[in-house]
Amino acid sequence: ASSLLLCFRTSLVVPLIFGLLLQPPLTQLSIVTQPNIVLLMADDLGIGDVGCYGNDTIRTPNIDHLAKEGVKLTQHIAAAPLCTPSRAAFLTGRYPLRSGMDAINNYRVIFWNGGSGGLPPNETTFAKILQRQGYTTGLIGKWHQGVNCESRNDHCHHPLNHGFDYFYGMPFTLISDCQPTETPEMDRAFRRKLWLSTQMIGLVTLTAALGRLTGLISVSWKTLTCLAGFSLLFFVSWFSSYGFVQYWNCIMMRNHEVTEQPMVTDRTTSLILRESISFIERNKHKPFLLFLSFLHSHTPLLTTEKFLGKSSHGLYGDNVEEMDWMVGQVLDAIDKEGLKNTTLVYFASDHGGWLERHEGKRQLGGWNGIYRGGKAMAGWEGGIRVPGIFRWPGVLPAGTVINEPTSLMDIYPTVVHLAGGVLPQDRVIDGRDLMPLLRGTVEHSEHEFLFHYCGIHLHAVRWHQKDSGSIWKAHYVTPIFHPLGAGGCYDRGFCPCFGEGVTHHDPPLLFDLSRDPSEAKPLSADTEPLFDTVIKKIGRATEEHRRTLTPVPEQLSVYNVVWKPWLQPCCGTFPFCWCDKEGDD
C-alpha cells in the first residue's frame, strides 16, 4: 500500500515540477505575447528642451514621468539631421541613402505634396511587417515621405501603401507658410530671387514698350509681344506653385481623402489628439501599433490659447509644454483602457533643434543642451543626438539610464521582433534589436560603428570601443559657422552638406565623446597616443560599410523634388482645390 501511495504521489509531483520548470517567467511571457506599441515622435525638438535631459525651465512633467517609469537613453542618435531622411531611416531601419532618401543636392527633404519623390514602394517598413503579424496599424500626424509617383491618385508613397491601416494628418510637414500671419518659410531665399528676376524682366518689358511708344527705341510690336509673353509665362511658372504653398502643402488627409485644403490650423492640435485617443479606444481588444508623429515643435509652432504665454521661453516653450500635455493625454488614454502593462511606449525626436530659426529677436527653434550644432548638421552631436525613452511596466526596469550608443533605426528590429515578425533577408538592416539592452541582459549596445551622413556625404563616424569605454568620433567634414564661432549657419538659415560652406579635414577631427561630449577639444597625434590607431580603425570600418551600399534611384533629385501639378492632391477639381470637411462635420 505504501509503495502504491508513493507511486501515486510521484505521478502527481513529477508533472507538477516539470510544469513549473517549463512555465516561462512573467516578463518572458509578456515578450512572447504581442504588446501594443505606441511610438511618439516630436518634430525638431532639441535634447536640451526636455526636463529629464537637463532643462529646468521648460516644464515637461509627462515626458519626465515616462522616463522615471522606464528607460532613458542618453546617446540616442538620429540617422540624419533633417525630417525626411531621418524618418525614412526610422521607418525602414536603414540608412536613408540605402533607399535613395538622402540628397545629392541642396534639396534635402520632400518639398511638395505634388512632387514625385518619396519612400519607395519596395521598402518594407516596420508597419508593413506588424500588419502581417495581425496588428492594426495607425499613423496620426506628420508623414513627409511623399504621396504620389505618376498620377494624382496612385498614392505610391502614401502611409497606406507602407503598412498603415489608418492615416490622419499632414502628408507634408508643418511650415510657417501654413499660418498666413507668419513670414513664409519655404525656399525663402529662392523665392526672393524669383521675385527679383520677375521684376527685372517686367522692367525690361515695360522699358521697351515705353521706348517703342516714344520712338526712343526701335523695336517691333512682335518682339514686344514675345517679351511680354515670356515675362507672363515666367511669372506663372513659379507663382503657380510658390504663390499657393498654403493650398498645395498645408493640407490634412484621412486615409486617401483630403479633408482640409488648406488646413485650419486653429483646430489641428485638438484633431490630432482626438484621432490618437480614438485609435487607442477602437483597437484596445487586439494588438495595435500607433505612430503619433507630432507637428510640435516645428514652426510655425501651432499652440492653443490654453498654453500661450505660459512658459519661460516664449512661443517655442509654450509649444513644447503643450506637446508634453498631449503626451500625458495619450498615456492617460492607455491607462484608462487598462493597457499600461501590455503597451510599449517610446518617445523621441526626429533630430536636433533648429538653432538658426528665429524672427527678429524671437527664437523659434530648440536647444540642444551641451551638444554642439543643431538641425541640418550631420556630424555635430546637437544635430543628431535626441531624447530616447522606453516604458513597458513589468518588462523594462523603471528608472534606468543607458549611456550606450543607440539609433532611431533600432526601433525597426525591436518592434518587429516583439511582434513575432522576421526581418527582411534581402536587404541590409542597420538597426539592432534593443530589447536585450533595455532589459539589462546585455551590457553593451550592438553598434560598434555609426555613420553620420549629411545628404549622401559622409561627415563623421563614431566608434564605440567597448573594451575601454571610449566613444571616438572622427569628423571628415564640418560646416563653416557664420558668424565665426556662433555655433550655427545664421547667414544661410541651414548649414550645407558640401561646397563652399563646409571644411574638409585631413586628418579628420577626432573627439572622445566619453570625455568630451560637447566636442570642444579636438585630439591630435600629439595629445592622444591612440590617434593614428583610432583613425585607421575608423577608416577600415568606413571602407567596409561603403562596400554594403548599392546604387538606388535618387528620390530627392531635382526632378523628383519639383512641384508637378498632375501629382498634386486635390479635394476638388484641380486647380480649384478647397475644402473643409472637418468643419462640415
Side-chain angles (χ1 to χ4, degrees):
S2 60
S3 61
L4 286 173
L5 183 61
L6 180 62
C7 289
F8 177 71
R9 286 176 177 170
T10 303
S11 66
L12 289 177
V13 170
V14 171
L16 181 61
I17 292 173
F18 272 100
L20 289 171
L21 289 173
L22 292 173
Q23 177 68 35
L26 181 59
T27 55
Q28 187 63 36
L29 182 63
S30 299
I31 290 176
V32 171
T33 58
Q34 296 176 318
N36 305 308
I37 296 166
V38 176
L39 308 175
L40 309 172
M41 180 169 282
D43 195 4
D44 283 19
L45 181 74
I47 192 171
D49 294 326
V50 183
C52 59
Y53 284 91
N55 192 305
D56 57 4
T57 55
I58 295 180
R59 295 163 296 189
T60 55
N62 295 294
I63 298 171
D64 299 345
H65 189 65
L66 193 68
K68 188 177 179 181
E69 291 188 327
V71 179
K72 182 178 78 170
L73 305 175
T74 64
Q75 200 178 159
H76 201 41
I77 308 298
L82 286 174
C83 308
T84 295
S86 175
R87 290 163 182 265
F90 176 73
L91 288 161
T92 63
R94 292 150 52 80
Y95 287 108
L97 78 168
R98 296 194 190 279
S99 57
M101 293 293 279
D102 245 342
I104 58 174
N105 50 51
N106 286 317
Y107 290 97
R108 296 163 57 187
V109 298
I110 299 289
F111 255 70
W112 298 97
N113 281 325
S116 54
L119 191 62
N122 63 354
E123 285 294 324
T124 304
T125 65
F126 56 70
K128 195 171 286 187
I129 297 178
L130 266 63
Q131 196 178 49
R132 294 171 189 157
Q133 295 302 115
Y135 276 70
T136 302
T137 56
L139 168 61
I140 312 293
K142 170 177 174 170
W143 175 236
H144 209 190
Q145 298 292 303
V147 182
N148 299 311
C149 288
E150 297 177 355
S151 67
R152 182 167 290 122
N153 296 310
D154 66 32
H155 299 122
C156 69
H157 302 306
H158 191 279
L160 267 60
N161 198 41
H162 279 295
F164 290 100
D165 296 306
Y166 183 75
F167 169 62
Y168 177 80
M170 287 191 77
F172 192 60
T173 181
L174 200 58
I175 49 176
S176 291
D177 303 70
C178 299
Q179 193 86 315
T181 56
E182 293 291 323
T183 304
E185 173 185 331
M186 186 174 153
D187 231 355
R188 191 182 298 184
F190 185 53
R191 269 202 252 191
R192 287 198 196 103
K193 292 177 182 177
L194 290 171
W195 265 119
L196 182 60
S197 300
T198 302
Q199 289 167 349
M200 290 178 66
I201 295 171
L203 184 61
V204 168
T205 305
L206 184 61
T207 302
L210 290 173
R212 175 70 173 80
L213 289 171
T214 58
L216 294 175
I217 300 175
S218 177
V219 59
S220 68
W221 286 113
K222 183 178 180 181
T223 302
L224 278 176
T225 304
C226 290
L227 193 58
F230 172 76
S231 180
L232 180 63
L233 282 173
F234 179 76
F235 174 72
V236 169
S237 69
W238 70 265
F239 194 78
S240 60
S241 56
Y242 284 105
F244 299 89
V245 170
Q246 187 183 5
Y247 283 84
W248 303 151
N249 280 346
C250 304
I251 68 175
M252 299 290 284
M253 297 182 78
R254 177 176 284 104
N255 296 326
H256 290 146
E257 180 185 23
V258 178
T259 59
E260 295 179 31
Q261 191 168 13
M263 64 194 290
V264 183
T265 55
D266 290 345
R267 61 174 178 236
T268 304
T269 296
S270 60
L271 287 176
I272 284 178
L273 183 58
R274 184 189 76 183
E275 288 283 345
S276 301
I277 293 172
S278 174
F279 183 86
I280 293 169
E281 293 171 345
R282 292 197 310 270
N283 297 290
K284 61 186 177 183
H285 295 301
K286 61 178 181 177
F288 65 81
L289 163 72
L290 170 61
F291 178 18
L292 171 50
S293 179
F294 291 104
L295 303 183
H296 296 60
S297 48
H298 200 293
T299 49
L301 302 173
L302 300 183
T303 308
T304 58
E305 191 72 30
K306 178 181 176 182
F307 288 90
L308 284 176
K310 302 298 184 186
S311 80
S312 303
H313 286 276
L315 183 58
Y316 182 82
D318 299 344
N319 194 253
V320 173
E321 291 188 0
E322 180 173 58
M323 181 187 64
D324 178 81
W325 170 77
M326 294 174 73
V327 170
Q329 294 296 299
V330 172
L331 296 178
D332 287 347
I334 292 170
D335 292 352
K336 179 185 173 185
E337 300 301 336
L339 302 174
K340 183 173 181 177
N341 294 335
T342 56
T343 302
L344 172 70
V345 179
Y346 167 74
F347 176 84
S349 178
D350 55 355
H351 49 70
W354 191 356
L355 302 180
E356 299 94 343
R357 188 67 177 99
H358 60 89
E359 294 292 345
K361 294 183 178 180
R362 286 199 308 161
Q363 177 60 32
L364 302 177
W367 183 53
N368 300 310
I370 66 170
Y371 304 108
R372 193 172 182 181
K375 177 178 178 176
M377 305 180 214
W380 298 121
E381 288 293 283
I384 54 178
R385 192 182 288 224
V386 297
I389 300 169
F390 289 85
R391 186 193 76 176
W392 187 359
V395 177
L396 302 182
T400 302
V401 178
I402 294 176
N403 299 315
E404 294 285 303
T406 58
S407 170
L408 263 68
M409 297 184 291
D410 297 337
I411 304 310
Y412 186 98
T414 302
V415 300
V416 165
H417 287 150
L418 286 174
V422 178
L423 294 176
Q425 302 299 306
D426 61 344
R427 64 199 66 192
V428 176
I429 301 296
D430 298 297
R432 299 292 180 265
D433 184 3
L434 287 178
M435 284 307 293
L437 183 67
L438 297 175
R439 298 180 66 215
T441 58
V442 300
E443 184 179 352
H444 293 299
S445 160
E446 286 189 43
H447 290 290
E448 185 178 7
F449 297 95
L450 285 171
F451 302 91
H452 307 305
Y453 283 93
C454 188
I456 63 168
H457 307 277
L458 184 66
H459 274 207
V461 180
R462 163 185 330 242
W463 174 32
H464 183 203
Q465 192 179 5
K466 299 176 186 179
D467 56 351
S468 70
S470 292
I471 299 168
W472 305 101
K473 189 163 162 206
H475 289 259
Y476 297 96
V477 183
T478 56
I480 299 172
F481 293 152
H482 188 277
L484 198 64
C489 302
Y490 290 90
D491 57 331
R492 298 169 179 260
F494 270 118
C495 283
C497 296
F498 61 93
E500 296 178 355
V502 303
T503 300
H504 294 264
H505 301 281
D506 186 14
L509 297 179
L510 182 68
F511 300 91
D512 181 358
L513 298 181
S514 64
R515 292 178 284 168
D516 180 20
S518 300
E519 300 173 285
K521 300 174 182 177
L523 303 170
S524 67
D526 296 329
T527 60
E528 175 53 61
L530 294 175
F531 183 88
D532 291 332
T533 303
V534 171
I535 294 301
K536 287 178 183 176
K537 177 80 173 179
I538 291 176
R540 286 195 295 271
T542 302
E543 290 173 8
E544 291 178 16
H545 162 71
R546 282 181 167 145
R547 283 196 287 269
T548 70
L549 303 176
T550 54
V552 293
E554 292 292 342
Q555 296 299 322
L556 301 181
S557 66
V558 173
Y559 174 78
N560 281 329
V561 164
V562 297
W563 183 68
K564 302 175 180 65
W566 60 93
L567 297 183
Q568 176 61 46
C570 180
C571 60
T573 301
F574 186 86
F576 305 104
C577 304
W578 182 91
C579 63
D580 181 8
K581 297 177 183 178
E582 299 294 343
D584 295 343
D585 292 340

